[in-house]
Amino acid sequence: STDGSSGQAAFTAANQASSITLGDADAANLDGRLTVWPTVAATGAALVYGVRARVTDGSNFLMLSIEFSTGGAVDLKIRRGLAGVFTTLATSAGFSTYAANDKWRIRWQCDGPSLRLKAWKPATPSTPDVDEPDAGSLTTTDSLQAVHGRCR
C-alpha cells in the first residue's frame, strides 16, 4: 500500500516480491532510502529486500538488496541483469547479523556508473537517517547498465 510519499509491503512467506515504479525518475542518478524489517527469522531461503534500478525490462536492470539469511547473517548485494544473465557486481557477505523484528535502513545511490549501497540498524526508528554511517557499505561501478530505465 502507499500514501503518496511512502509505501509498505508485507511478506508472510519466502519467495515473494513486490515492486513500485517511479515513472519519471532520472535513472542515471538515483538516491533512495528504504526501511525494512523481517518479522521472522528466515527459514528455507533468505529474505530479500531491495530495489531494482535502471529497469528497461524483465531481463535488464540493476538490483541493490539487503538479504537476511537462514543463519542470521545480513548480506548486501549489487547485481546486474543484462540480456537475461544475472551477474553479482559486489557483495558484502556476513556484513552483520539480525534477529526477527530488527529494523534496517538501506540507502542506494546510482551516479552514472558508480553504485553505492549501505545499510544500518537505526537506534531511533522514527528518525532512521540520523544514524546513517558516513562511509558506504558496498560500492562498485557498472558501465553496461549506467543510464537506462526506471526505478522499481
Side-chain angles (χ1 to χ4, degrees):
S1 65
T2 183
D3 65 8
S5 64
S6 65
Q8 179 177 343
F11 303 108
T12 57
N15 298 321
Q16 295 181 333
S18 177
S19 68
I20 60 164
T21 300
L22 303 176
D24 294 322
D26 174 0
N29 301 298
L30 303 168
D31 188 346
R33 293 169 178 83
L34 179 67
T35 301
V36 300
W37 61 94
T39 57
V40 296
T43 58
L47 302 170
V48 180
Y49 299 85
V51 62
R52 291 191 316 153
R54 299 179 179 162
V55 177
T56 55
D57 58 37
S59 297
N60 297 282
F61 56 88
L62 293 170
M63 177 73 175
L64 298 96
S65 63
I66 183 170
E67 301 187 6
F68 301 98
S69 76
T70 58
V74 177
D75 302 329
L76 299 177
K77 293 183 181 178
I78 300 175
R79 294 172 284 192
R80 175 186 62 225
L82 186 62
V85 177
F86 215 43
T87 303
T88 299
L89 302 174
T91 187
S92 181
F95 165 74
S96 187
T97 59
Y98 79 98
N101 293 307
D102 281 351
K103 289 195 177 185
W104 284 82
R105 186 76 162 164
I106 63 170
R107 181 178 184 185
W108 67 92
Q109 295 172 300
C110 303
D111 185 13
S114 297
L115 308 172
R116 290 177 292 282
L117 176 64
K118 61 173 86 171
W120 66 97
K121 282 195 274 190
T124 308
S126 61
T127 55
D129 295 334
V130 171
D131 301 319
E132 180 177 350
D134 290 331
S137 302
L138 192 59
T139 61
T140 191
T141 59
D142 180 43
S143 59
L144 296 177
Q145 210 46 12
V147 295
H148 305 293
R150 296 180 176 201
C151 185
R152 293 186 178 191

